[in-house]
Amino acid sequence: MELYVFRGASPNFGDELNPWLWPRLLGDVFDGAGDLFIGIGSTIQSGFNPSRRKVVFGAGYGGYTATPVLDASWAIYFVRGKLSARKLGLAQDKALGDAAILIRSLNIQRQAVPGRVSFMPHWESVWPGRWEDACRLAGVQFIDPTAPVDTVLEAITGSELLLTEAMHGAIVADALRTPWVAAAPAQQHRMKWNDWASALDLRIEWDTLPRSSLLEQALHLAPRGSRLAGQLSARRRATATLRDHTPGWWIERAAQHLRRLADNARPSLSRDTVLNSVHARMLDQLETFVRHEGRGRVLV
């Protein structure tokens, strides 16, 4: 079986959870051949080899491609949420939740430093933004979503509060019981957040942040997929000037907003009873996977 992992221009915590988490849960299952295992991420899409069997274990539909036709080559154990289930024509009992919730099985302990607030931007905001500088000014810990999984986990579990533009920052924080605030993700990502939240009976309360650099603002204003957006992203050396020469007051404004969120925002957490129920049902699905697929063993 091959583990499917999306990789973009930079590593991304949510996607990199796949090679980090699944071997810890299932052992030596993935040999890079045969069926395709589609786990954490917005990775239910068209374009996969139609003759290859696709095993879906907690992934979601992100809208990046046409809706795939789920024929006999798809084995759906569960999907990320009710929006994915509805879009794919699945029964609502398949809308179990994002598979990253299974990180609870590893018994990772929170060791929150009193008063520590952290901010985790979306991975696409790291290069064009000046968020690390803004965090330094605000007295907030910067969490780089492109850093190794262990590094990100240590930062999340060491925080009393996580401000996050990265969805899997919120998902993992919620699973490990670190209160979190959804900090203005780009509009095109909100469906994914609402999809995950629907499985936990959560309502996302969005808090806004300004852009932290001139380049980040330019990318925000350029239509996604447009020629201008592509040029800004591709010509990094030339466009870095917009990032590096951002006026100090612009960065200070971003820092002030971070500090205001840290002091005044209402943190979110799913209810313990709901999260425990979802997690238990996911563990049942792990057992079912091992039994039906005839490979691996549940290690937790």
Side-chain angles (χ1 to χ4, degrees):
M1 182 170 281
E2 179 184 351
L3 177 63
Y4 179 78
V5 181
F6 169 81
R7 288 194 166 99
S10 299
N12 171 27
F13 174 66
D15 296 310
E16 295 304 321
L17 279 170
N18 283 292
W20 186 93
L21 180 62
W22 295 115
R24 287 170 166 81
L25 297 175
L26 291 168
D28 190 16
V29 171
F30 305 106
D31 57 7
D35 298 342
L36 198 62
F37 184 93
I38 304 172
I40 299 164
S42 299
T43 46
I44 300 176
Q45 57 195 26
S46 60
F48 288 119
N49 185 335
S51 65
R52 193 174 190 186
R53 185 166 177 264
K54 281 78 68 177
V55 176
V56 174
F57 210 91
Y61 174 69
Y64 301 121
T65 70
T67 308
V69 177
L70 302 186
D71 56 20
S73 69
W74 292 82
I76 311 290
Y77 283 85
F78 64 94
V79 295
R80 181 174 57 205
K82 296 176 183 178
L83 303 184
S84 285
R86 189 178 306 128
K87 187 69 176 179
L88 296 166
L90 299 170
Q92 288 295 290
D93 62 1
K94 292 290 188 181
L96 193 50
D98 191 288
I101 291 170
L102 281 164
I103 200 169
R104 287 176 63 79
S105 304
L106 303 182
N107 295 316
I108 297 171
Q109 299 300 309
R110 282 191 70 207
Q111 296 181 332
V113 175
R116 177 174 291 172
V117 177
S118 298
F119 173 62
M120 183 172 175
H122 189 272
W123 70 273
E124 290 179 312
S125 298
V126 174
W127 175 74
R130 295 287 296 272
W131 285 112
E132 191 166 4
D133 294 327
C135 284
R136 190 178 302 112
L137 288 172
V140 168
Q141 177 178 237
F142 174 78
I143 300 179
D144 185 348
T146 70
V149 169
D150 286 311
T151 301
V152 176
L153 285 176
E154 182 179 359
I156 290 175
T157 57
S159 302
E160 279 201 331
L161 173 65
L162 177 68
L163 314 175
T164 180
E165 190 188 19
M167 182 180 72
H168 277 95
I171 291 172
V172 169
D174 192 84
L176 299 179
R177 304 284 80 185
T178 295
W180 53 272
V181 173
Q187 185 65 35
Q188 64 268 19
H189 299 303
R190 290 196 177 192
M191 184 277 282
K192 302 191 298 187
W193 283 72
N194 290 328
D195 190 30
W196 155 66
S198 70
L200 293 175
D201 296 330
L202 270 172
R203 181 176 179 178
I204 305 293
E205 295 186 9
W206 308 103
D207 283 281
T208 58
L209 287 173
R211 304 293 155 175
S212 65
S213 78
L214 295 176
L215 177 56
E216 195 176 21
Q217 180 69 12
L219 285 167
H220 174 65
L221 294 175
R224 189 173 180 85
S226 67
R227 182 178 179 182
L228 175 58
Q231 289 175 337
L232 288 170
S233 296
R235 299 177 63 188
R236 288 198 169 195
R237 179 174 297 180
T239 56
T241 300
L242 284 174
R243 179 197 64 208
D244 297 341
H245 290 80
T246 298
W249 67 264
W250 192 292
I251 302 169
E252 289 170 4
R253 181 185 61 174
Q256 290 169 3
H257 279 257
L258 281 175
R259 192 66 256 169
R260 193 173 300 128
L261 277 187
D263 293 338
N264 300 318
R266 293 192 302 173
S268 295
L269 269 183
S270 62
R271 297 195 304 275
D272 287 339
T273 53
V274 174
L275 183 64
N276 289 337
S277 173
V278 166
H279 180 226
R281 291 163 64 196
M282 287 185 180
L283 288 175
D284 288 342
Q285 289 299 305
L286 273 184
E287 296 283 359
T288 302
F289 168 85
V290 170
R291 187 167 62 252
H292 283 184
E293 305 296 329
R295 42 170 75 95
R297 58 193 179 93
V298 179
L299 300 178
V300 294

